[in-house]
Amino acid sequence: MATTSDRFNINSQLEHLQAKYVGTGHPDIHRFDWMTNIHRDTYSTMIGNHNMISYVALCQNVRNEKEKEVHKKIEKKKKVLQS
């Protein structure tokens, strides 16, 4: 069974991670802020990975020539989330 010091140590580590990484959230975070973090992380992952963009294009039934248009749409959404 966990002792009081173990619980304090785990909580302090969690607070440290939440302070260090913005997207990990905290107990007082609003739903909109949390969703913004999730969307920002998802779009940045998609933009940074060509295979992911190809997968999205395939799922949206878009030809390979139009992958760049999908990429531009994702960038626009990312800019909206950043503002």
Side-chain angles (χ1 to χ4, degrees):
M1 186 162 178
T3 64
T4 306
S5 63
D6 291 338
R7 290 181 189 152
F8 176 75
N9 189 18
I10 291 170
N11 285 335
S12 65
Q13 288 177 2
L14 182 61
E15 288 175 5
H16 174 73
L17 287 174
Q18 289 171 342
K20 187 174 180 182
Y21 301 108
V22 176
T24 56
H26 53 81
D28 298 328
I29 193 167
H30 295 279
R31 180 187 168 131
F32 177 77
D33 295 334
W34 183 78
M35 289 296 291
T36 302
N37 288 338
I38 297 299
H39 287 141
R40 183 194 63 229
D41 293 345
T42 302
Y43 291 138
S44 63
T45 300
M46 293 170 88
I47 289 171
N49 189 345
H50 177 72
N51 292 333
M52 182 66 79
I53 293 175
S54 298
Y55 175 74
V56 171
L58 178 68
C59 291
Q60 294 180 354
N61 199 19
V62 178
R63 295 188 315 263
N64 287 337
E65 302 89 45
K66 292 190 176 184
E67 285 181 21
K68 290 183 181 179
E69 291 179 23
V70 172
H71 179 74
K72 288 179 184 178
K73 287 180 184 178
I74 292 171
E75 282 189 17
K76 286 180 185 178
K77 289 180 182 179
K78 184 179 177 184
K79 287 181 183 178
V80 168
L81 290 175
Q82 288 177 350
S83 59

